[in-house]
Amino acid sequence: VGQLPPDCLARSRAGTAAGCDLCADGAAAGQCLSCGVRLCRFCCRAHRRQKKTASHAVTELESTRDCSQAGKPLLCPSHPTEELQLFCEQCDQPVCRDCVLGRHRQHPCDFTGNVIHRHGDALRELLKSSQQHMDTLEDVLSQVDEMGSAVRSRAEAVAAEICLFARGYVKAIEEHRDRLLKQLEDLKVQKENLLHLQKAQLQQLLLDMRTGVEFTEHLLMSGSDVEILITKGVVSSRLTKLNSVAYSTHPSVDDRIQFSPYERAGQCCGYEVFGAILNKAIDPARCTLHGEDLHSARQNQLSGFTLLCRDTTGERMGRGGETVRVTITHKDKRDCAVKATVCDNGDGTYCISYSPEEPGLYAVCVCVKGQHVQGSPFTLMVKHKFREHQGVFHCCTFCSSGGQKAARCACGGTMPGGYQGCGHGHKGHPGCHHWSCCGQVKENSECLCGPPSDTSQRSLLRTVAL
């Protein structure tokens, strides 16, 4: 941005209100930016009303920043004795007469009073546009300040929400921790009580056996023949009874207590928590298989069954993660196996799905941890794919064919009068609907005959639909 001449800036800073240059009576209240004269309020109004000066810009002395505000003529910096009275259009700057005769000789020049209205209007338009931008900038700055306040307020609110959430989450985790520790303590006490009970029973059995053995040994060593024979029955009965007492040769419980930090543990205080104590051990011998397609399936049809895993006590595991291996192999054809897909439901059940391509008998093995589950291996019968009926489901060929004598039906019935097909009340299907291709009386049944091999056979099996 260009700067005003130094002497202009100095004059604008040093300019003070003086008398009116026109009437010399009133105090100067304004100054004409075109003429450079200082005007009182009356002369300002008169200056605007006159035809020659109506386009001049008059401003108050307090807001004047132009170099014409000083009241004294501005001198040319190149010719200090000459006043700047002309304006060079080409160089876009005020010049003096010597400048016009010199380096501005060929430039279009005119008096400042003749060009001020045009350049003043341009400045006023720029001023108006700048003022609009200033208003816009002030609005934007106000919006920025408001948004900054809104951001700070929102951040404080979210921080409060985070703190509240964190406090609740910490409380939930602490409660879940206490619950897990309580569960662990109960499990420990339960196992210890079972071990104490087993220990007391074994100690009592050992004491009884030791007493019986010592008595028997003393009887055999010190007793007479008669004494041995007299007490033989009681001693034998006692020892036999003690020997027949069943007891486990292993501890009644194990030390299988694990903590799974990634196990979903439901909700606590409205928060989802993780971490569970695992003390169940899967028992393949107690795992069971379920499903309608367990022993039968259809060729090229998706079938499956469900594996339910249980622990050593027979209770449902309630969690997944076990390694389940399933093999389905054909009993008669080598290198004929069906690929099975195992889906872990995460609740102790596993869905096994398969789609056999060949009919026949298959051997199915389901193993967990390398051991067969209950009922494994078992036999799977894969039937041929469901055969759709090729004929029509009708009551008789007489009706469905429109009375054609040559129409036949697979049910084998005939009518009198030269009709080849069946009619109402014929033997075998007295008035009931049946399939014309195989004679089946159930509409949603499987066709008993294979697909027709040629057009002639198809014409015998099919009749015209109603």
Side-chain angles (χ1 to χ4, degrees), residues 72-370:
K72 295 182 180 180
L74 294 178
L75 301 179
C76 178
S78 301
H79 307 90
T81 60
E82 295 293 330
E83 183 181 352
L84 296 173
Q85 295 180 341
L86 300 171
F87 185 80
C88 178
E89 296 287 351
Q90 181 173 339
C91 298
D92 194 27
Q93 67 179 24
V95 294
C96 66
R97 288 178 298 176
D98 292 346
C99 292
V100 173
L101 296 176
R103 57 191 181 94
H104 295 275
R105 179 184 298 273
Q106 302 296 330
H107 297 177
C109 297
D110 199 353
F111 286 99
T112 57
N114 297 332
V115 299
I116 189 61
H117 64 281
R118 177 162 48 86
H119 292 280
D121 292 341
L123 285 174
R124 278 187 287 272
E125 290 297 327
L126 288 175
L127 177 62
K128 182 180 179 180
S129 176
S130 299
Q131 290 174 343
Q132 292 177 350
H133 282 294
M134 288 175 60
D135 295 339
T136 303
L137 288 172
E138 289 177 356
D139 292 340
V140 174
L141 286 173
S142 177
Q143 294 178 11
V144 169
D145 292 338
E146 292 178 358
M147 186 57 66
S149 300
V151 168
R152 288 189 293 272
S153 300
R154 186 57 188 158
E156 292 175 359
V158 173
E161 293 179 3
I162 292 174
C163 293
L164 181 62
F165 171 81
R167 286 195 296 270
Y169 209 169
V170 170
K171 181 180 178 182
I173 293 176
E174 290 177 348
E175 289 190 10
H176 183 54
R177 175 202 60 195
D178 296 340
R179 187 170 59 186
L180 288 175
L181 294 176
K182 178 65 168 55
Q183 181 181 353
L184 177 62
E185 181 65 22
D186 294 342
L187 181 60
K188 184 195 72 170
V189 171
Q190 179 184 1
K191 287 180 176 290
E192 288 179 344
N193 290 339
L194 292 176
L195 290 174
H196 289 324
L197 177 61
Q198 183 184 19
K199 181 179 179 180
Q201 293 174 346
L202 292 176
Q203 287 177 340
Q204 183 62 45
L205 180 60
L206 177 61
L207 179 61
D208 294 341
M209 283 190 171
R210 181 177 289 113
T211 303
V213 168
E214 291 177 353
F215 179 82
T216 305
E217 289 178 347
H218 179 72
L219 176 64
L220 293 175
M221 293 178 60
S222 304
S224 62
D225 296 341
V226 177
E227 290 176 339
I228 294 175
L229 293 176
I230 292 175
T231 57
K232 175 184 71 68
V234 177
V235 173
S236 298
S237 176
R238 178 60 175 170
L239 292 179
T240 301
K241 184 177 181 181
L242 290 175
N243 291 333
S244 63
V245 175
Y247 59 92
S248 176
T249 57
H250 302 283
S252 58
V253 296
D254 52 32
D255 62 347
R256 188 180 287 107
I257 303 176
Q258 296 178 344
F259 175 68
S260 176
Y262 305 107
E263 191 86 11
R264 292 182 179 272
Q267 287 194 348
C268 183
C269 300
Y271 296 86
E272 186 176 6
V273 292
F274 293 83
I277 296 177
L278 307 179
N279 66 312
K280 292 184 177 181
I282 190 171
D283 186 359
R286 294 180 180 269
C287 299
T288 55
L289 301 171
H290 307 272
E292 296 180 357
D293 300 333
L294 189 59
H295 297 285
S296 63
R298 287 279 184 179
Q299 181 184 7
N300 295 329
Q301 181 176 331
L302 185 64
S303 303
F305 52 90
T306 302
L307 168 65
L308 175 59
C309 294
R310 302 180 185 274
D311 61 6
T312 54
T313 63
E315 295 184 0
R316 181 169 171 172
M317 288 295 295
R319 59 179 177 84
E322 301 294 341
T323 302
V324 179
R325 184 172 59 89
V326 180
T327 59
I328 306 176
T329 56
H330 203 287
K331 285 191 173 184
D332 299 327
K333 296 182 180 180
R334 288 186 176 182
D335 300 330
C336 182
V338 180
K339 183 179 179 180
T341 302
V342 180
C343 178
D344 188 351
N345 297 325
D347 58 355
T349 61
Y350 300 81
C351 292
I352 294 96
S353 58
Y354 58 93
S355 180
E357 297 181 357
E358 295 289 338
L361 288 176
Y362 286 81
V364 182
C365 297
V366 182
C367 297
V368 176
K369 291 187 175 182

